[in-house]
Every structure is written in C-alpha cells, then in structure tokens.
Amino acid sequence: MILKNNIALLSLLFMGLSVKAQTLEGYIRNFNTKEAIPYATVQLGPDYGTIANEEGGFSLSLAGKAGDSLLISSMGYAQKRIPLPSAMEEIVIYLEPSAIELDEVLLRDRQPSAEEIIREVRRAYPQNYSSTDQKYEVFYRGTSYMQFEDLNVDIDKATRIPKQQVARASKKLDSLARSVVESKLMEFRDYSGIVLLKQRDSSKISIDRATRLLDSRKEFSMEGVQKQAQGIILQYLDTSKTYKLKTGLFKIEDSLALDKEEFRQEKKTEYSRGEIRSSVMSTLKRSQWHENSFLEKLLDPKAYEYTLDGISYFQGNPIYVVSFFPGKGSSRFAGTFYISTRDYAVLKADYAFGDGKRGRKFNMKLLLGIKYIEKTHKGTVIYKAGANGIYHPYYITKEEGNYIYLHRPLKFIENSPRKDKVLFDFNLEGEGREKRELLILKAEDLDPAEFINLTEAEKIPYTELKQFESSIWQDRQIIQPLEEMKNFKAGD
C-alpha cells in the first residue's frame, strides 16, 4: 500500500512538473542595443503562437503542440528561426534590425510617393480585410490605474448636531482622504473566450474563464469615494430619519438613509455582460476597416499628411514604412503604418495623439464643478493573413489617460419639520489610465447556426486573485504579464 501510494504521489509530481515544463518563457531583444522589442510574434508552426508584451516578454504554452522550432519576427527586423529549447528555462532571443534604402528595391518603374501608397491602401482595404461573419478565439487583458492628486472633504456647517459628533466625522473624512491620496490604485482583468461577429454591429461573446487581480482595500473610484464620504456623514446624523441630498441647485437624492444598499460594501464576484462587451468590442473595433472606422479616418488626405520613411522587411517580405501626422481640421493623431508592398495591406498601425493634441474635454468647473481632459490616447494594431489571403487582427492594444476634477458642495437636509442641515465640501482631483489588450488566437469563418444558438450570459463569474497565478492559465495561451503585474500583491 505504501509503495502504491508513493507511486501515485510520484505520478502526480511528474504530471505537475511536465505541465510546468511545457511552458516556454523568454524575452525578445534588439541585437545591437539589447533593448526589448515589443509585440514581436513567436510562432510554433503557422497556426499557433503568441506575441511579446511591451517589455519584450513572452510565454508560450507547448502542451499538446507539435513542432521542433520557433519562428520569431517583428516589423523592421530580420526574422529568426531557432530550435525549440530542450530545457524550458527562460531564454533571450536577439533579432537584428533590417532596413533597406528605397532605391535598393525596384517596386515600380519609379519611386512611389507616400500619398500614392495611402491611396492604394484605401482602394485595397475592402478586399484585404473582413469584419463580418467571423469567429475569434480571444484572450483579453484590461489594466486600470488611478492616482488621486488631491482630496478634500470638509464639513462647512452642521445645525443641531453636537460638536463632538462633527469632530469625529471630520476625523474620519480626513482619514479617508489620506488613504485615497496615498494609494496608487491598480486593477488587472483577464478573460478568455470567443467572439462571434455577424455584422459590424451584431456580435455575441462567450467567456469561459475570467480573473480579477486587485487590492480590495483600495477599491476606490470617483463615485465610490464620494459615496464613502456621504456614508461617513450619515453615520453622525439621526439614523431614524431620511435626508434629501443636494448639490448647488440640484437634488441628487430625495430619501437617503444610512442603511441604503449603495452604502454597503458588497464583495463583487461577477462581471456583467455589459462590462465584458464594452471592454472587448471597443478594443476589437479599433482594428476594423470600413467607412468611417477609426483606422479608415487616418487615411484621409484632407486631414492627414504622410511621409514615406523607407522600406523594411517583415517575415522576409518588403514593406513600406509610412508616417502620418495631423494636417488640417480636427485631426489629432500621429503614427506609422507598415504596409505590404504586395497587396497594400496595413500589417501594423501605431498611433498616438500628435504634438500638442488632446482628446475630448469637458470644462464646467465654475458652473458644475467638473473638469475632464483626455490627455493620452495611443495604440497598436497588428494583423495576420489567413490561408485565403484575408487579413484578421492578431493583437490590439489601446491606452487612454484622463485628468479628472470634481468639486461638489453637498447638503444633507433632514426630511422633517426642523429640516436640520449638514453642509460639506467635496473636492477631488486625479488622473486615471486604462490599457486594453486583445490577442486573437484563432480566426475562422462564422457558422450561422452557432451564432443563433449562442445565448450570452448576463453575469460572468470570475476568480479574484491576490497575486498573478500562471497556473490558472496553464492550458491557455495568454499575453505574458508585465513585471508590474507579476510583482503585484494585494493585502489581506
């Protein structure tokens, strides 16, 4: 019996080791500078692989996959094939830059202009891309950051409330303000599943695994901080009564009480259908090509100017490198297109706000106490050609950063003949940033019956983590986490 148990234990240990040993991790770096090469592709055969993160790190699950070599490629670098390492220890792969001068390649009888190349891209994109009747197997990661620069919550006036109670409320409000300002808030969301895309505005999503990594002690938001402050005030009022809540001339609540549901901190364990759709589909739409799509607007010669930077290589084929920057009107973005010389497909697009450009802004600071500025908006889209020559998005990342100011003088008015009041001033300022990434692991034609039969879940349960656990995704291909995510640990 002891021998049998030992054999069983050894078998379990071997299975655990073999699973771990089937994940290859490493980094892609520039041969000359030794700097990381972000978003390089790592392929084990034509239909399976992954992409390096922005630090050049990658993780490739080899479980059940056949192949004896890896093919590594990135825009502007000579592709490299290496034997599959026999030991699954961390490896570093160096790629050499590969660029050539325009006159070294005779693509036409004369040198094309940047405007001519962009015109050909516009003409060819309806044939090069498909954004309908597709099934995508996807992995999504969302990363949110919030840094509060200032938070002041002061009680300006309180009628018929003992001074000791006002002092205790002020002390709690000060403590809340300090904890918020001193906290750098981070949250990571991962989920995998499928996207069924019938038409551009007709899609369904099914998520089969989801995680959430955050420090629940710091689960603050602009709205959440205000509600916590309101809850502190309510603790020191007559809890047997209800109150109107007003800001300036506007009534927010007509019957507010301490035991109302919104002031209770409930542990969340599910994503809503709306959250999933908003995050996945808004990211996917950044990669679509159709009239008035985001990328199509970057091809407008009336709004943008273009420069042909040269010719480089990707996977052994020459590509045009065309930069664009704001011209006239309301154009705001600058960036680079990497374009196939064969069929004028955009293989990669990088974009960000141009110099001096900003996004949406709303400034009603004096009237409503609200100011909002979109300070950062950037992204990258990478495509891969299918067997039929049609291009599909392979990797999409989008990052947005905002400045937010909120100033609200709030007034609690007792619902009674005495109409006792508490006035407090709420002043909050900070910057938020959100990064979304979508890796499309597999693309195929949509089965109409599958689209009809799929019913989207209204709630998607997730596993809450206190630190990143690779074992949860051991059998899935994911985006390798950045060091900040690997090192993140939530408090107890």
Side-chain angles (χ1 to χ4, degrees), residues 155-196:
I155 298 177
D156 294 335
K157 183 179 179 181
T159 61
R160 298 177 188 268
I161 299 176
K163 290 183 179 180
Q164 297 90 338
Q165 288 183 223
V166 174
R168 286 198 294 269
S170 295
K171 187 176 180 179
K172 282 197 172 184
L173 291 171
D174 288 341
S175 178
L176 172 64
R178 283 196 305 273
S179 65
V180 169
V181 172
E182 292 171 1
S183 298
K184 184 178 180 181
L185 314 179
M186 300 174 66
E187 178 184 351
F188 305 91
R189 298 184 176 200
D190 288 353
Y191 27 88
S192 66
I194 59 171
V195 175
L196 306 182

Side-chain angles (χ1 to χ4, degrees), residues 47 67-68 81 194 199 210 236 273 284 286 290 297 302 331 333 340 344 351 366 377 405 412 430 481:
D47 299 320
D68 58 5
R81 186 177 292 277
I194 59 171
Q199 299 294 330
Y236 294 93
R273 175 175 173 266
L284 183 59
R286 268 293 184 263
H290 55 79
K297 290 178 180 178
K302 296 179 180 178
S331 54
F333 293 94
S340 167
Y344 292 95
Y351 63 88
L366 296 178
H377 190 151
Y405 171 89
F412 287 90

Side-chain angles (χ1 to χ4, degrees), residues 22-38:
Q22 292 182 49
T23 298
L24 175 66
E25 295 186 357
Y27 289 88
I28 314 297
R29 301 195 182 280
N30 184 305
F31 179 82
N32 296 333
T33 67
K34 307 303 184 283
E35 294 178 348
I37 301 177

Side-chain angles (χ1 to χ4, degrees), residues 161 165 232-240 243 412 422:
I161 299 176
Q165 288 183 223
I232 290 173
I233 297 292
L234 282 170
Q235 288 178 356
Y236 294 93
L237 302 181
D238 187 338
T239 56
S240 66
Y243 298 83
F412 287 90
V422 174

Side-chain angles (χ1 to χ4, degrees), residues 140 189 191 194-207 271-285 398 436 438 451 454-458 460:
Y140 171 90
R189 298 184 176 200
Y191 27 88
I194 59 171
V195 175
L196 306 182
L197 191 61
K198 181 64 177 174
Q199 299 294 330
R200 292 199 301 264
D201 297 318
S202 178
S203 61
K204 292 184 178 181
I205 301 175
S206 176
I207 300 299
Y271 294 127
S272 70
R273 175 175 173 266
E275 286 178 289
I276 295 289
R277 288 194 61 82
S278 175
S279 55
V280 172
M281 295 310 300
S282 67
T283 309
L284 183 59
K285 284 182 178 180
K398 181 177 71 169
R436 298 177 176 183
L438 190 66
F451 185 86
L454 176 62
T455 301
E456 293 181 292
E458 291 299 323
I460 296 90

